[in-house]
Amino acid sequence: QVQLVESGGGMVQAGGSLRLSCAASGRTFNMGWFRQAPEKEREFVAAISWSGGNTYYADSVKGRFTISRDNAKITVYLQMNSLKPEDTAVYYCAATEATYSTGSTLSHEVVYDYWGQGTQVTVSS
């Protein structure tokens, strides 16, 4: 059974930074980050291929967030800079068994097989 554990959430003032981590058990996957704000649908944030060679971002976070993974490729990070109140949400990491990776593919929840329980990020103005 594959398990994902997120960490690194918290409260920060607008303009500040946080780094989220997602540890995966078992093996390397194409992985993504999603977020869900109150009364809104879960939305795509960023994704990274199993090799770390390809990354994809939602337009709303381009230039501010960076997704990466360690050399062992089992831990994925989301570095969040220049945070805005609009970034406030529960952030989830996800992993997919699919080997095919494109921005359009990995931006959709339906392709992911495993999900973490989420970590809260709150940005105050």
Side-chain angles (χ1 to χ4, degrees), residues 26-123:
R27 58 191 183 276
T28 301
F29 303 92
N30 292 333
M31 298 184 68
W33 286 96
F34 290 76
R35 67 187 183 186
Q36 186 168 25
E39 301 182 353
K40 292 186 177 181
E41 297 294 321
R42 188 154 53 190
E43 66 176 353
F44 170 73
V45 176
I48 189 167
S49 63
W50 65 269
S51 66
N54 297 302
T55 58
Y56 312 95
Y57 298 93
D59 289 341
S60 60
V61 305
K62 286 181 179 178
R64 300 188 299 119
F65 291 9
T66 302
I67 188 170
S68 63
R69 63 198 315 161
D70 64 17
N71 292 331
K73 301 181 176 64
I74 61 173
T75 302
V76 175
Y77 305 95
L78 185 68
Q79 179 66 46
M80 306 184 294
N81 298 325
S82 301
L83 283 162
K84 304 175 180 179
E86 304 94 279
D87 297 317
T88 295
V90 176
Y91 283 69
Y92 300 88
C93 67
T96 175
E97 297 276 6
T99 57
Y100 181 71
S101 61
T102 65
S104 59
T105 298
L106 295 180
S107 67
H108 292 89
E109 296 181 40
V110 68
V111 309
Y112 291 92
D113 302 290
Y114 313 105
W115 293 83
Q117 66 179 5
T119 184
Q120 177 71 47
V121 171
T122 302
V123 184

